[in-house]
Amino acid sequence: MWLWINKFAAPKNFYQIAGTIIPWTSILCALLFLYGLIGGLILAPPDYQQGDAFRIIYVHVPSALLSMLIYISLAIAAVINLVWRIKLADIIIAVSAPLGAAFTFLALSTGAFWGKPMWGTWWVWDARLTSELILLFIYLGVIALRAAIPLQESAARASAILLIVGIVNIPIIHYSVAWWNTLHQGETLTLTGASLIAPAMLHPLWAMILAFICYAKTIILIRARTEILRREKQSQWIQAFLRN
Amino acid sequence: MDHLSYHRSFWLILRYELLIACRHYTELLNPLLFFAIILTLFPLAITPAPEILQHIAPGIIWIAILLSTLLALDKLFREDLQSGALDQLLISSQPLPLLILAKLLGHWITSSLPLILLSALLAGFLQMAYPAIKVLMETLCLGTPLLLLIGAIGRALTLRLRNSALLMFLIVLPFYIPVLIFSTSAVMAAEQGLSVSGQLAWQAVMLILALPLAPWATAAALRIEI
């Protein structure tokens, strides 16, 4: 098992495995997007209170979820990097931190577009909105720290420590609704028990969530391949690969 | 030297920190002056009206405390790095987190304690009343060690970089937000005569969590070669 992980994590093998996975995740992603977008934007009935404005959840909820999921996976990769010194973990961190920041920004901006007609304001200092904003600052801090350290190995370890320290923020975001409950609505989606949303609206939402996850995976794999090429350009297998 | 107990090495570092601080006491005054000037700017910029000042005073004081603490933190480890004392700490046979804790305690006594005392005085200038000032002092006593513990991680991560002060501010300030929220909401609750034990308990929880974990993270950050 251990040997297998090490073999998989070697940049050369990962490069090839990622190359075979990428077409499949992109096809899956396209199909889910197709179903989610048609189902969400056309087939689902308008909300009895919010009209068509509710449809922004098909972008807002998946990107908010992804902003946190990516952070959690970054923190796990950070632990792997610090403990086992697996180079691949840092490559994943390097390529997915900007993606996480982008999803956080998307969640905040779509929330603002929805908030203007619904709450009558672009922004409120609600606990959940604020923690999402803090998450954006933490992402940007990680990116800034990486950019400031010239040595790659040091940048990897410094950002790993910062990511692990930052993971404290994730539970605060999740439980903030319960703690400082103000304007943001409570949870609608649950894996167990009945969701508080009609099935015709719910199914496209799950499809969109899965589509966003597939999209993030595809982008991370593509970017990781590019990063591997950049970092290992001196190695023999890439020299041989380029000659062919 | 191998037989130095943890207890003794802790006190040696603490004594060394305090001694250095006493010999360069003018440097300690700068964050205090900065704190006082920031607090003076708010009545000038917003309004001198007592009822409004009283309302925003806890927030102003806490923001000024955050900035002054970070400003004072900038010099933590820096002279040690330049003089080579930091390398001695890194190769010492004593556990590094313990030595860091001793340094932070020394730093708290020499820079945070004066800030706390000064804010008791300046809170009166901002028209805060007695029960609120008492709660403010409690939140400061629980909150400032937490600020130092978290800030030390950021300081260690950026220590060897150019323009490190600004970068340290950027990566540390987001982590200060929970401290800020609990502290100011405690003082505001006290102003309205409500119970503040919940907010203080949360601060205590965060402090108890940070006390063993933060020096460990700081030690890991200091060991990164740049």
Side-chain angles (χ1 to χ4, degrees), chain B residues 135-157:
Chain B
V135 174
L136 178 71
M137 292 298 105
E138 287 168 2
T139 60
L140 284 173
C141 289
L142 280 174
T144 47
L146 195 53
L147 297 184
L148 286 189
L149 286 163
I150 300 170
I153 304 172
R155 173 70 287 181
L157 282 175

Side-chain angles (χ1 to χ4, degrees), chain B residues 1-28:
Chain B
M1 280 299 280
D2 288 349
H3 303 292
L4 205 59
S5 69
Y6 290 171
H7 191 247
R8 175 128 180 79
S9 58
F10 185 86
W11 285 112
L12 276 176
I13 296 276
L14 180 60
R15 210 180 120 242
Y16 168 80
E17 278 295 299
L18 296 178
L19 209 59
I20 288 188
C22 290
R23 288 182 183 159
H24 298 91
Y25 63 91
T26 46
E27 278 182 24
L28 293 179

